[in-house]
Amino acid sequence: AQSVTQLDSHVSVSEGTPVLLRCNYSSSYSPSLFWYVQHPNKGLQLLLKYTSAATLVKGINGFEAEFKKSETSFHLTKPSAHMSDAAEYFCVVSDPPNTGNQFYFGTGTSLTVIP
Amino acid sequence: KAGVTQTPRYLIKTRGQQVTLSCSPISGHRSVSWYQQTPGQGLQFLFEYFSETQRNKGNFPGRFSGRQFSNSRSEMNVSTLELGDSALYLCASSLGDYPPPRGTQYFGPGTRLLVL
């Protein structure tokens, strides 16, 4: 079965410092992985996705993630945090091909940006 | 291109009532998935519809049901509401062509349901 583990439930950074949100996945096949962001009282917005192309994936708003098969990780990073980055972030793995379109969500990481 | 829309945005119901939520997918998307989000359980998959057929189902009781229309719009129904059904209900659409590729899901803003 597919699953993701977000290693930190809460991360605090100062504005202008780097952001690292950690995600490990478990999958019996080559996975599709996603990061979504959810601002308060909003739906989920896609930040970036990995679908077996380049292992370093660039997303919106300066975020990027690196797929590391040997470490089964898909950590999200940003060089310099902005106040508007404060939100809940979800790492997601999807079903294997030809078996469904279900997404499996991590428990989320709440990012606080300190001015 | 318009995004996923959900109506209503907010609902207040009492225990025992039933509720119907609506989701309009992005134009051209044929797959609609529903999720329940609560502080305690996080995001949980309810079901997925594709071409008017339920293709995938999560681990929820039969009180939760859905359907999809020929224009891909989807509705979700919850009967005999319980206090624990209070949640944000999110709808997501994707291309979802069969056999399913690894489709990216695009989410709506959600319907916040409060059961009193």
Side-chain angles (χ1 to χ4, degrees):
Chain A
Q2 287 62 246
S3 67
V4 290
T5 301
Q6 291 185 244
L7 300 170
D8 307 293
S9 60
H10 188 85
V11 170
S12 289
V13 300
S14 296
E15 189 176 17
T17 64
V19 176
L20 170 64
L21 306 183
R22 299 183 294 165
C23 172
N24 286 352
Y25 69 90
S26 173
S27 177
S28 56
Y29 72 107
S30 182
S32 287
L33 294 159
F34 308 79
W35 276 98
Y36 283 83
V37 61
Q38 186 177 34
H39 288 92
N41 299 313
K42 301 283 189 181
L44 280 81
Q45 180 184 19
L46 177 68
L47 276 178
L48 49 80
K49 62 180 177 179
Y50 166 77
T51 55
S52 72
T55 56
L56 183 62
V57 182
K58 293 189 184 298
I60 62 171
N61 300 335
F63 284 95
E64 61 182 37
E66 185 171 9
F67 174 74
K68 291 187 176 181
K69 186 175 181 179
S70 61
E71 299 176 10
T72 61
S73 69
F74 190 58
H75 300 334
L76 181 70
T77 60
K78 182 174 180 178
S80 176
H82 190 271
M83 294 299 295
S84 62
D85 295 329
E88 189 87 12
Y89 291 79
F90 294 94
C91 182
V92 182
V93 64
S94 68
D95 264 334
N98 300 324
T99 65
N101 201 30
Q102 183 173 340
F103 272 21
Y104 300 87
F105 284 81
T107 51
T109 297
S110 177
L111 176 65
T112 298
V113 181
I114 303 165
Chain B
K1 193 181 262 192
V4 178
T5 58
Q6 293 185 245
T7 56
R9 293 293 312 277
Y10 302 93
L11 266 179
I12 300 176
K13 293 285 188 179
T14 57
R15 277 181 299 174
Q17 287 187 309
Q18 76 164 16
V19 66
T20 299
L21 312 181
S22 180
C23 172
S24 291
I26 292 170
S27 177
H29 284 192
R30 296 166 65 191
S31 168
V32 173
S33 297
W34 289 89
Y35 295 85
Q36 181 195 65
Q37 185 177 27
T38 60
Q41 300 296 320
L43 275 151
Q44 294 184 285
F45 172 75
L46 280 155
F47 29 65
E48 183 216 2
Y49 284 87
F50 178 80
S51 291
E52 303 178 63
T53 301
Q54 188 180 88
R55 189 164 68 174
N56 210 348
K57 188 177 189 307
N59 188 27
F60 276 81
R63 299 186 297 107
F64 291 82
S65 63
R67 59 178 176 169
Q68 187 180 33
F69 301 94
S70 58
N71 61 358
S72 295
R73 189 177 70 86
S74 176
E75 288 182 348
M76 188 191 92
N77 186 75
V78 187
S79 62
T80 320
L81 283 166
E82 300 177 1
L83 296 179
D85 297 333
S86 295
L88 180 66
Y89 290 88
L90 292 163
C91 159
S93 79
S94 70
L95 289 169
D97 292 293
Y98 190 83
R102 299 160 187 161
T104 300
Q105 296 191 12
Y106 297 89
F107 286 79
T111 294
R112 187 164 295 280
L113 172 65
L114 176 62
V115 182
L116 301 175

